[in-house]
Structure formats: C-alpha cells, structure tokens
C-alpha cells in the first residue's frame, strides 16, 4: 500500500464549497445536526434519516455518530461549521422523545412523540406520489398555525421552529426555488403539535383536460374523436381541478419553469404530502443546552421556595466548578514554571560539564583522563566524608577507571609467558603413566576381594532351584537345552 498524503492537495484548496469561499448568505443561514442518542429502535433510526431530508440542504445529511461521542463534541465543532441548531431523538421504555436545542447555550425544548410515521409509510397511502429530487435542493417554507397563545413556552416554541429554517426575502425570492413547505399546527384543546411535510406544485387553471395535456406536452389519444376540435372544445375538467376552490387560485408574479404557468396567469397551488409525520407534546423547556434551569414543565409544578433552593444549589455548583477550574489553572502554571526551572538547571549543568571536559591549553580541546579521574575520586571521597562522617576505604574510590572487562588485560607475550608449561623428560612421563596404571589395577583387585568375601545367607531350597535353571535375556534355559 502507498503512503497516505498528509498535505492538502489542490482540489481541497480550490474547493468552492469550503468555508473560506462560502458566501455570507450561506454562512448566516441556520444549519443543524440531526442525530439520535442511546439505544433506539430501527424505526427511530429511519425517522432520523427522514427528518434530515426535511432539514436539507442546511444539515449534515451524511453525519456519522459513534457511541463514544458526547454532546460536547457536537458543541465544539458547531461554531466552526456554522451549525446553530440540534435535533436529537431519544427513546425509553415508555415513549420516544425529540429535543430541539440551540447552540451553544440553549434553550432546549423537549417533546414527547405521541405518534409518528415514516416517509415510506406516508407515500404508500397516496394514489399519486410526488417525487422530485430537485425539491430538496432548496430549504422549505415554514407555516406556523395557532401559536399565538399566552405564556413564555408558546413564544419559545414559535421562535425555535421559525429560526430553524432560513428567512425569505419576499422582494428577492425566486418562485422556482419554493418547492416544499413545513407545517406546525398547535391544537389548544389537547396541547399537541401536528408536524407535516408537503411538496408544492403549481398547475394552470381554466384549461380543459385536452388543452392541458397538449400544454404539458402529453400526447393524447385521438382515436375516439372524428375531429381535433372535439378534443379541444370539450368542457370537462380534471378531477383535481374540480376539487379546487377559489382560495387555492393565485396570480403568478413571475414565470415558472413548469409548463402552462405564465406570468400574470391564473394557477392553482396543490400540496402533496412527502412525510414524515409527527404528533408532539411539549414536556419541558430548559435554559441551557440539555441542561440548566427548567423554565417550563408540563407534568411537574414547584413552589417559589423549591425554585429558590434549586437555584441556590445550582449557583453553589457553578461556584465550585469555577473554583476547581481556577485551582487547576494555578497548578498548571506552577508546573510550567517548575518545568522551565528544571530545564534551565539542566542546561546550566550541561554547560558546566562541557567546561570541565574542555581545556583551553589542550590542542584537541580534551582533558587528560588521569586528571579527570583524580578529580572525580577526590569529589567522591569528599562527599562520602560529609554524608557518612568517616573516611572511605582505600579501594572504595579507585583512581583507575576500569575498562569494563572482567579480567585484567595483558598483552599476548605476558600471557604466553605465564601460561606456558615447562617440557618434561620422556622417561619421566613413561614412569608416571606406569605408576597410574599400577595404582588403578591394585584398586580393582581390592574391590573384587571384597565382593568374594561377601556371602549372603540364602536358603538351601533357593540355591538348588537357582542351580537347575538360569535366566538368560529374560527366558528360562534348562540343563541339556541350547539357547536359541
């Protein structure tokens, strides 16, 4: 395998989608992270992918989240990537939840998902499915209905949902880019929020079915008609146009790329649901990003004393955290100072050693080894006297430095002189060998005499039996038989 390149190439530097070359409109637009946390089912994982499609194009559609990632990891990169909002799906044994948060300091709105449906389930129920990939190249419109109630939580909900999507300038908007819309409908009776996602189509109005087919470049079947005028002048209209009322008819201020829709002409706006669906219930509102003071809670109500006690504990915890942080910074600075001091001392010691080993009088710049050894030995003996209080032994600090060998080194001639054995006379060697042989034979004879003198007291019956038969190589051989 080849070595991976660590240097940025020309394609990265010249990328028009990089942060350096992005226009100000894109960097100011609200971006989002859509993730799921904890052990959630397969349905919630698919729902997360569907909601990313809703938030396109200003979302991380291919975001990969690991189990070891925490919320601080997303908050750390949010500012660099211009991410302003967080949508997090979680699940428990009782219900599923979704949190809408604002980077970096909140607030956070927690909703319970009472009902939800995936996009594929919604599209399977439609008779005519509207699938248009170019619709997801632009952000959707936001429609808020019945969010004019009293209470801080109502204003927070409306502000959060509205700021999750980019704003539209009515004087500069291009109608061809408006292909989708998102609906948040608040039901005051049961305090629930209905979420829907629609695709927008524009169709010409006031044309017969035959003319509309010709305008939309559809080849009609004229086999049933005698003349073309019968096909064009018939008065029937399409089923979708018959169901339209006057409220859906608009006058187009711009020309649209779809066929039959001209400027200043009458057209009908039709919605086709894309999915997913959600029915939400607000549970609580927190002041921070998934933490902090609880501004609103739908299930739990607390008195003023309890709220004051909670705020006091939170303030103590904050002060304790700041104190620990201050102590850590102080310890860090002290360690850095100590490190610099030790570094300075080590450099001074190195310079001192260099001055000891380097001499000005010597040509090569190196001192004689004898002088250094004597100086070192004197220093060691002086140190021993100060620490122990007694004079060291003579051999404790030797003046001669060992070469690292176990035995004392000597030249070849001296080794041969000491290790060389003197040559003996031949006759003397012969006499010594004969003497050794004689002593060896004498020791053998004494050992045989000792064996003969030893007579074990076996019984007579055993001696007779042993004389009749002998054991040779593990087999019996009787008298008069040959061993084969």
């Amino acid at each position: 395998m080849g070595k991976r390149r660590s240097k940025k190439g020309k394609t990265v530097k010249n990328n028009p989608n990089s942060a350096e070359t992005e226009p100000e409109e894109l960097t100011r637009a609200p971006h989002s992270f859509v993730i799921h946390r904890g052990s959630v089912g397969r349905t919630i994982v698919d729902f997360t992918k569907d909601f990313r499609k809703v938030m396109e194009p200003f979302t991380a559609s291919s975001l990969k989240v690991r189990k070891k990632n925490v919320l601080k990891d997303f908050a750390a990169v949010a500012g660099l990537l211009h991410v302003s909002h967080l949508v997090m799906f979680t699940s428990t044994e009782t219900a599923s939840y979704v949190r809408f948060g604002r980077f970096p300091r909140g607030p956070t709105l927690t909703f319970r998902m009472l009902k939800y449906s995936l996009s594929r389930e919604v599209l399977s129920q439609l008779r005519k499915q509207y699938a248009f990939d170019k619709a997801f190249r632009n952000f959707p419109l936001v429609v808020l209905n019945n969010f004019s109630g009293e209470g801080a939580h109502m204003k927070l909900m409306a502000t959060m949902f509205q700021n999750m999507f980019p704003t539209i300038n009515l004087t500069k908007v291009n109608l061809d880019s408006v292909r989708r819309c998102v609906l948040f409908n608040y039901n005051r009776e049961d305090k629930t929020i209905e979420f829907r996602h629609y695709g927008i189509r524009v169709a010409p109005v006031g044309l017969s079915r035959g003319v509309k087919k010709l305008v939309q470049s559809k080849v009609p079947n004229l086999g049933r008609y005698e003349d073309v005028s019968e096909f064009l002048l018939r008065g029937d209209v399409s089923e979708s146009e018959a169901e339209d009322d006057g409220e859906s008819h608009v006058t187009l201020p711009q020309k649209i790329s779809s066929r039959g829709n001209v400027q200043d002409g009458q057209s009908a706006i039709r919605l086709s649901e894309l999915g997913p669906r959600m029915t939400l219930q607000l549970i609580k509102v927190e002041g921070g990003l998934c933490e902090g003071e609880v501004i609103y809670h739908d299930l739990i109500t607390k008195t003023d004393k309890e709220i004051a006690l909670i705020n006091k504990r939170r303030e103590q915890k904050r002060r304790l955290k700041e104190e620990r942080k201050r102590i850590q910074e102080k310890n860090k600075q002290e360690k850095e100072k100590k490190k610099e001091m030790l570094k300075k001392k080590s450099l001074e010691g190195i310079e001192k050693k260099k001055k000891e080993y380097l001499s000005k009088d010597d040509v090569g710049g190196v001192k004689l080894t004898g002088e250094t050894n004597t100086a070192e030995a004197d220093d060691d003996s002086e140190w021993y006297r100060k620490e122990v209080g007694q004079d060291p032994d003579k051999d404790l600090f030797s003046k001669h430095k060992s070469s690292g060998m176990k035995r004392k080194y000597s030249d070849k001639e001296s080794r041969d002189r000491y290790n060389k054995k003197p040559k003996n006379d031949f006759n003397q060697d012969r006499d010594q060998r004969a003497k050794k042989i004689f002593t060896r034979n004498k020791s053998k004879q004494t050992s045989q005499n000792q064996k003969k003198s030893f007579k074990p007291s076996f019984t007579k019956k055993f001696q007779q039996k042993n004389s009749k038969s002998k054991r040779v190589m593990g087999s019996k051989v009787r008298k008069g038989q040959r061993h084969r």
Side-chain angles (χ1 to χ4, degrees), residues 323-337:
E323 183 68 20
R324 286 199 302 265
K325 193 173 182 180
R326 187 181 62 80
I327 293 170
Q328 287 175 359
E329 290 292 333
K330 186 178 179 181
N331 294 337
K332 189 177 179 181
Q333 291 176 2
E334 289 179 356
K335 285 181 181 179
E336 290 293 334
K337 288 181 181 178

Side-chain angles (χ1 to χ4, degrees), residues 263-274:
Q263 186 175 358
D264 298 331
Q266 288 286 327
S267 298
I269 298 175
R270 293 171 187 164
L271 301 179
S272 178
E273 190 170 1
L274 301 176

Side-chain angles (χ1 to χ4, degrees), residues 10-24:
K10 293 181 180 179
T11 55
V12 178
K13 292 178 181 178
N14 300 329
N15 187 7
N17 296 324
S18 61
E20 298 177 357
T21 57
E22 279 187 352
E24 190 177 356

Side-chain angles (χ1 to χ4, degrees), residues 23 36 43 61 109-110 123 138 148 179 184 195 272 274 291 312 315 320 323 360-362 367 432 452 478:
H36 60 83
T43 310
S61 56
L109 281 69
T110 304
L123 293 174
N138 299 293
S148 59
R179 296 287 184 174
F184 292 95
F195 171 80
S272 178
L274 301 176
E291 60 181 6
K312 187 177 179 180
E315 185 67 21
L320 185 63
E323 183 68 20
K360 295 180 181 179
D361 299 331
D362 195 5
K367 279 189 175 184
Q432 287 180 359
K452 285 181 180 180
R478 295 183 181 179

Side-chain angles (χ1 to χ4, degrees), residues 361-401:
D361 299 331
D362 195 5
V363 179
V366 181
K367 279 189 175 184
L368 296 175
T369 56
E371 296 178 4
T372 57
N373 289 336
T374 54
E376 289 177 0
D378 293 339
D379 293 339
D380 293 339
S381 60
E382 187 67 27
W383 176 82
Y384 188 86
R385 286 193 196 94
K386 288 181 181 180
E387 295 293 332
V388 181
Q390 297 178 1
D391 292 335
D393 296 337
K394 293 181 179 180
D395 298 333
L396 184 60
F397 302 108
S398 61
K399 295 182 180 180
H400 299 285
K401 193 173 181 180

Side-chain angles (χ1 to χ4, degrees), residues 102-114:
R102 180 69 183 259
F103 285 116
R105 298 183 181 87
T108 305
L109 281 69
T110 304
F111 295 89
R112 178 183 291 173
M113 299 172 65
L114 302 177

Side-chain angles (χ1 to χ4, degrees), residues 10 32 192 277 317 470:
K10 293 181 180 179
S32 61
T192 58
R277 293 180 181 179
K317 191 181 289 185
K470 295 180 180 178

